[in-house]
Amino acid sequence: MEGSWLDGSARFVLTALFIVISCTFERRTRCSAEGVFPELDSTDCDLLGCGGPYECYGNGWPNYLPRVRGGPYNIPALSTFSVSSGNGAANAPIECLLGTANNYLPWLTEEGRLTVSPGRHALDLSHLRLTDAGLPVLVESLGLAVPLEGVQHLSLAHNALLHVPTPTLNSMPNLRLLSLRANTFTELSVDSIVYSKLPPLQRLRVLDLQNCSLRVLPHDFFEHTPNLQYLFLAGNSFRVLPMELFLPLRALLHLDLSNMDTSRQGEERIENPFMKLIAGLDLQQSLFAPLLNLVFLDLSNTRLDFQAFIALGSIQRRVRYVSYCNIGLPAIVDYLFVARSIEMLDISYNVGVAQSLHKGSFSLLRNSLEVLYFKDSMVQQLSWLVPLGKLRVLNLRGNIIRELHRESFTNLTRLERLDLSYNYISAWNQQILTNTGALRSVNLRNNSIVILTTDMLYDFSRLQHMGLGGNTIQCSCNYLKFLRNIMHNQSDTPPGAYAISAEPLYAEKHNGGSGTLVSLQHVELFDYDESEYFCMNFTSNQKLDPMELSDCVLSDEELIDIDLTETATSTTTEDDTLVYILVSIAVTFVVVTAIVLFYYWFHIKYFFTILKNSTILSFFNDNEKLYLDRNGLLKDSDYHYDVFVSYSNDDRKWVLDHLLPNMEGVSQVNLCLHERDFEVGFGILENIISCMDRSRCLMLIVSESFLLSHWCQFEMHLAQHRLLETRREELILVLLQDIPRRKCPKTLSYLLKTKTYIKWPTGSVHEQALFWKRLHKALSTSKC
């Protein structure tokens, strides 16, 4: 029966495999015909291990690294200037420069399927729900029809494997490209003898272990794959990478450690909430030292442990493409760039970095850095740009930059693309891009540009692509002529007054979309849309269509930046200036008042509480309004009680069981307790005031419940007021428990600093006996 099951299983597997291969071939042919999977250069295919007698169709993901050293960067976001992305977009995802590993796996689709042409060299077993027991049976059956020694491409992605399939891989010694993506390995423990590490695969060049739920890798996991060049470990849950892990990988070129889930669960660091904020992937100090040939390192979206950043100093001198995007980088320090060879760097979404920026922050990369992404990191100033003379692409989207200075761009003679969108940049009155002769694209969307100056227009005239949408620009001659020269090619413009216009202009739909692409002689507004390119009349606070305004009347000698005539929209008048000043003063006053109320609210509340209590006391001290009969309850010379005791109902048991027997029974001290000695028929407030006045001494039984009682709070304020008013010193504080500083009110803090207090011991009987002795002595030596 077992043999028949194997035969039936083999027939089923072979039939399924034939269907998979046939569908794969049809899909590749169709995709290639439609142009979705463009064929890669033979050099690229060979670099990624898919060259030889078979084709590599690619997975449709663009590889935007230069094809040749010094060639152009094919970064999609830089050529299209995606309008919707960035800090200003709602729920915008975190976008890191190096992206996902799919950009560098042309032989594999995003779902883990092979893209190479089918044949005996390529085996696609992805998405078959194979288990650890089922895979060997399937492979054994396939071996009867296909020589497994010739398989060079293997995909086991998206199956149900729990262990590395060592027996299966042993049957394919010539594997070059292997994907085990999206299997649930969890942990590859050294205790597992069979599946603890990869088998000998001397020709393996690319290994895909993304999203495998890995938390641990044995230190000798890669011991038998010395020729591995591309390693993808993204999307796992490593907490620590051992030092010995990368020792065998001397030939490694590409390492992807991005998108790690480094969250701590269970008992890890729960006792210290601050440590949970900085917890992340722990890297040994010299982890990257064995990777002598490493060129590409992606750590994007992987939070690092606080001490793990030191390991970045062990990166070798051949590294060229690095992503530290959203890793929690605390500061820019020299050991990050000791390699001095980084050409493409992404340090976006590291908010703490901006505080440490200075002119020498990137000085070690002055001779190498060509692409820098520094998005959404609270960058305020650009003086640190000065040393980066080789910079070609700069993305500073989503920061808090307010001003641009010529000195920052003086040395950027090779800069080609600049993204400054979603900042707070205002207009500038000097040409800041005079030395950036190679600059062709500038994105200034969603800034605080209110006017267009002549110097700005001269800077723009050197560009090929630019964007100004999302700015609230004032209706001025510069802006009006800027748009009209674009849309209508004004031929009567004085020579030299408007440097941008020359050739006939046109407007068309951009890539079939709704946005209009507006072209000048050599400048394109990639984001032109009428709803965003309006102008603002600040006098009437209205948005106007610049194309419907009257013409600016300019002579040949007049500059372009003079204002519109009164028939259009006038400039800001003196009244406007006065209004702006008054509004600014009012807003500043409101903000300052709000800040003062926020920081001093407790003190203000305390002041009004004292004022309220003083008002109540003065009310009862007025003989004409005194409701309590002093003749019946108070004698001018005699005190009725020795000690007035103020306590909370939660502490009633302690007062009755401990305080009352020891004071009245042992020490013969007459106590005034509200539940026993308050006069019936009078209000609580009247009884409190009367009993305090008829007691020689005041005693507060302080606990956390005492501080939560409104009557106890009032009695404490009243005691302080009575002591100040009569200059009496008879106040005893008894602390039943320690009071946290954050719960201690100002009045109690003052009393604890100025009055001697005694604390109730919770220990032995001997300590409690000492407590009653000290309390009795305090009552005996005072006027109580």
Side-chain angles (χ1 to χ4, degrees):
M1 182 177 293
E2 183 178 356
S4 62
W5 178 85
L6 287 174
D7 294 340
S9 175
R11 286 195 299 271
F12 170 79
V13 168
L14 289 174
T15 302
L17 180 62
F18 175 79
I19 295 174
V20 169
I21 293 177
S22 300
C23 293
T24 302
F25 179 77
E26 291 176 2
R27 186 176 77 251
R28 301 299 176 270
T29 306
R30 181 176 66 255
C31 292
S32 180
E34 295 174 355
V36 177
F37 295 139
E39 295 186 11
L40 300 180
D41 293 345
S42 58
T43 55
D44 290 335
C45 284
D46 183 65
L47 178 66
L48 295 173
C50 55
Y54 47 86
E55 293 180 285
C56 175
Y57 292 96
N59 58 13
W61 290 80
N63 186 343
Y64 46 74
L65 300 182
R67 294 184 180 274
V68 296
R69 194 68 178 267
Y73 289 93
N74 304 308
I75 304 175
L78 291 173
S79 58
T80 62
F81 278 111
S82 177
V83 173
S84 61
S85 63
N87 186 38
N91 301 321
I94 292 179
E95 298 176 348
C96 296
L97 173 61
L98 299 184
T100 62
N102 295 321
N103 293 332
Y104 315 101
L105 289 168
W107 56 278
L108 204 65
T109 68
E110 189 176 5
E111 295 80 21
R113 304 182 189 276
L114 294 180
T115 64
V116 297
S117 57
R120 294 185 177 184
H121 58 277
L123 189 58
D124 191 344
L125 300 180
S126 61
H127 296 271
L128 296 180
R129 298 184 180 179
L130 296 173
T131 62
D132 293 327
L135 177 61
V137 177
L138 170 61
V139 173
E140 183 180 355
S141 302
L142 290 175
L144 300 176
V146 179
L148 299 180
E149 294 80 4
V151 175
Q152 298 185 26
H153 295 63
L154 174 62
S155 176
L156 291 171
H158 293 273
N159 281 298
L161 302 177
L162 299 178
H163 304 283
V164 175
T166 303
T168 297
L169 299 179
N170 274 325
S171 64
M172 305 175 189
N174 293 315
L175 270 180
R176 301 179 70 192
L177 312 178
L178 172 61
S179 176
L180 296 171
R181 177 186 305 185
N183 284 282
T184 311
F185 294 141
T186 307
E187 291 187 8
L188 301 179
S189 174
V190 293
D191 299 331
S192 178
I193 301 176
V194 179
Y195 303 107
S196 63
K197 58 185 177 181
L198 291 171
L201 296 172
Q202 297 295 324
R203 300 191 63 188
L204 187 65
R205 299 181 64 184
V206 183
L207 176 60
D208 178 17
L209 281 172
Q210 298 180 78
N211 302 308
C212 289
S213 302
L214 288 167
R215 294 195 294 266
V216 176
L217 275 181
H219 64 88
D220 58 349
F221 186 74
F222 302 109
E223 182 179 3
H224 300 304
T225 56
N227 295 314
L228 192 65
Q229 294 183 345
Y230 292 78
L231 177 58
F232 301 91
L233 295 173
N236 287 292
S237 302
F238 294 114
R239 297 179 183 177
V240 62
L241 293 178
M243 169 60 191
E244 301 85 357
L245 184 65
F246 296 143
L247 281 177
L249 304 181
R250 304 283 178 169
L252 194 68
L253 301 174
H254 184 118
L255 178 58
D256 184 359
L257 296 173
S258 63
N259 299 288
M260 293 287 181
D261 179 10
T262 57
S263 58
R264 306 287 180 169
Q265 299 177 356
E267 73 283 356
E268 291 85 354
R269 302 181 178 181
I270 287 181
E271 70 282 356
N272 191 340
F274 175 72
M275 292 302 294
K276 295 177 67 176
L277 299 177
I278 62 175
L281 178 62
D282 189 10
L283 305 178
Q284 298 300 317
Q285 186 171 353
S286 302
L287 179 69
F288 301 107
L291 306 179
L292 300 177
N293 295 299
L294 189 66
V295 174
F296 183 107
L297 175 62
D298 189 359
L299 284 168
S300 54
N301 295 313
T302 296
R303 288 279 170 167
L304 297 186
D305 191 88
F306 184 72
Q307 296 183 348
F309 295 101
I310 301 177
L312 304 180
S314 65
I315 298 174
Q316 298 301 308
R317 294 184 177 273
R318 292 191 178 183
V319 67
R320 291 160 55 190
Y321 312 112
V322 177
S323 177
Y324 296 147
C325 173
N326 192 33
I327 66 172
L329 191 66
I332 295 293
V333 289
D334 288 344
Y335 65 74
L336 295 174
F337 311 129
V338 291
R340 299 173 183 260
S341 58
I342 300 176
E343 297 178 8
M344 177 183 286
L345 175 65
D346 188 353
I347 52 175
S348 303
Y349 304 99
N350 293 293
V351 178
V353 168
Q355 302 300 321
S356 63
L357 288 176
H358 55 86
K359 292 184 178 180
S361 294
F362 296 90
S363 58
L364 294 180
L365 301 180
R366 63 167 60 90
N367 296 321
S368 63
L369 191 61
E370 295 184 354
V371 178
L372 177 60
Y373 266 42
F374 207 165
K375 303 188 300 181
D376 293 271
S377 298
M378 303 295 287
V379 177
Q380 303 181 49
Q381 50 86 19
L382 302 179
S383 62
W384 48 270
L385 283 173
V386 174
L388 300 179
K390 287 195 173 183
L391 202 63
R392 296 168 57 188
V393 177
L394 178 60
N395 193 326
L396 294 168
R397 172 175 299 195
N399 288 291
I400 53 176
I401 303 169
R402 300 184 182 276
E403 296 181 350
L404 300 179
H405 301 283
R406 179 187 299 176
E407 296 76 14
S408 302
F409 298 90
T410 300
N411 296 330
L412 304 186
T413 56
R414 300 187 182 184
L415 189 63
E416 300 170 5
R417 301 175 185 271
L418 176 63
D419 192 340
L420 292 167
S421 58
Y422 296 96
N423 279 277
Y424 299 90
I425 299 171
S426 55
W428 56 88
N429 292 308
Q430 61 174 342
Q431 298 179 41
I432 63 174
L433 304 177
T434 53
N435 293 334
T436 55
L439 189 61
R440 293 295 176 265
S441 300
V442 173
N443 189 353
L444 288 168
R445 285 183 51 80
N446 292 86
N447 275 280
S448 302
I449 299 176
V450 178
I451 61 173
L452 290 184
T453 65
T454 304
D455 291 311
M456 294 173 67
L457 296 178
Y458 278 118
D459 282 338
F460 296 160
S461 67
R462 300 179 175 91
L463 305 178
Q464 292 180 352
H465 308 278
M466 66 171 298
L468 277 175
N471 288 284
T472 306
I473 300 180
Q474 178 188 358
C475 295
S476 65
C477 272
N478 269 358
Y479 190 47
L480 180 61
K481 285 191 172 290
F482 174 72
L483 292 181
R484 290 196 174 184
N485 275 282
I486 292 175
M487 300 299 294
H488 302 299
N489 188 23
Q490 296 288 333
S491 58
D492 57 348
T493 305
Y498 199 78
I500 296 182
S501 61
E503 296 292 328
L505 309 171
Y506 63 90
E508 63 181 8
K509 297 295 182 182
H510 181 46
N511 294 333
S514 58
T516 304
L517 179 65
V518 184
S519 176
L520 284 81
Q521 177 186 5
H522 53 268
V523 180
E524 292 180 352
L525 292 178
F526 59 82
D527 65 338
Y528 182 81
D529 186 270
E530 292 182 0
S531 62
E532 292 192 342
Y533 277 82
F534 58 84
C535 72
M536 193 73 182
N537 182 351
F538 291 106
T539 303
S540 59
N541 198 27
Q542 292 181 341
K543 295 180 180 179
L544 303 175
D545 184 356
M547 310 313 295
E548 296 179 357
L549 298 177
S550 302
D551 292 338
C552 289
V553 180
L554 293 175
S555 63
D556 292 348
E557 292 79 14
E558 287 180 296
L559 294 176
I560 193 169
D561 60 344
I562 67 171
D563 299 328
L564 290 174
T565 61
E566 294 182 358
T567 57
T569 56
S570 60
T571 58
T572 305
T573 62
E574 294 180 0
D575 293 337
D576 297 329
T577 304
L578 181 59
V579 171
Y580 296 154
I581 294 175
L582 293 177
V583 170
S584 301
I585 294 175
V587 170
T588 303
F589 176 78
V590 171
V591 171
V592 172
T593 303
I595 294 174
V596 171
L597 288 176
F598 177 78
Y599 282 102
Y600 295 98
W601 173 246
F602 182 84
H603 301 275
I604 296 174
K605 181 180 178 181
Y606 176 72
F607 170 77
F608 281 106
T609 302
I610 294 296
L611 184 63
K612 179 188 70 174
N613 293 339
S614 300
T615 303
I616 294 174
L617 293 176
S618 63
F619 172 79
F620 280 99
N621 284 334
D622 190 348
N623 293 328
E624 296 180 359
K625 299 180 179 180
L626 185 62
Y627 296 106
L628 192 61
D629 186 4
R630 288 182 177 272
N631 295 325
L633 293 179
L634 180 62
K635 294 182 179 180
D636 293 337
S637 58
D638 298 332
Y639 288 103
H640 287 200
Y641 306 102
D642 293 320
V643 181
F644 175 84
V645 184
S646 174
Y647 60 94
S648 168
N649 284 331
D650 292 342
D651 303 323
R652 178 175 179 271
K653 180 176 176 58
W654 183 88
V655 172
L656 298 179
D657 293 347
H658 295 278
L659 182 65
L660 188 62
N662 280 280
M663 290 293 98
E664 292 191 347
V666 178
S667 303
Q668 299 297 315
V669 175
N670 186 18
L671 301 182
C672 177
L673 306 179
H674 66 267
E675 57 188 275
R676 183 187 67 181
D677 300 309
F678 276 14
E679 294 290 335
V680 179
F682 296 95
I684 297 177
L685 191 59
E686 298 170 304
N687 272 300
I688 291 174
I689 297 173
S690 176
C691 288
M692 277 191 176
D693 287 341
R694 292 183 295 148
S695 299
R696 299 178 183 274
C697 188
L698 306 178
M699 180 182 294
L700 304 182
I701 309 299
V702 181
S703 64
E704 289 195 20
S705 58
F706 178 90
L707 300 178
L708 296 177
S709 171
H710 294 293
W711 285 114
C712 291
Q713 289 277 358
F714 176 77
E715 290 172 356
M716 181 171 60
H717 288 297
L718 183 59
Q720 182 190 29
H721 180 82
R722 276 296 195 249
L723 293 177
L724 294 176
E725 186 180 55
T726 61
R727 298 183 179 181
R728 293 165 56 186
E729 300 292 336
E730 298 82 8
L731 175 64
I732 296 177
L733 296 174
V734 177
L735 268 63
L736 293 184
Q737 58 188 132
D738 291 327
I739 306 299
R741 180 177 297 180
R742 59 186 177 85
K743 295 183 179 181
C744 190
K746 294 293 183 181
T747 301
L748 181 59
S749 297
Y750 172 78
L751 293 176
L752 291 175
K753 291 178 181 179
T754 57
K755 303 295 180 183
T756 303
Y757 61 89
I758 184 170
K759 184 179 177 182
W760 169 251
T762 58
S764 62
V765 177
H766 175 71
E767 293 177 346
Q768 294 180 3
L770 182 61
F771 169 85
W772 296 118
K773 183 178 180 181
R774 292 181 59 196
L775 183 60
H776 176 72
K777 182 178 180 181
L779 294 173
S780 300
T781 56
S782 67
K783 295 181 180 180
C784 300

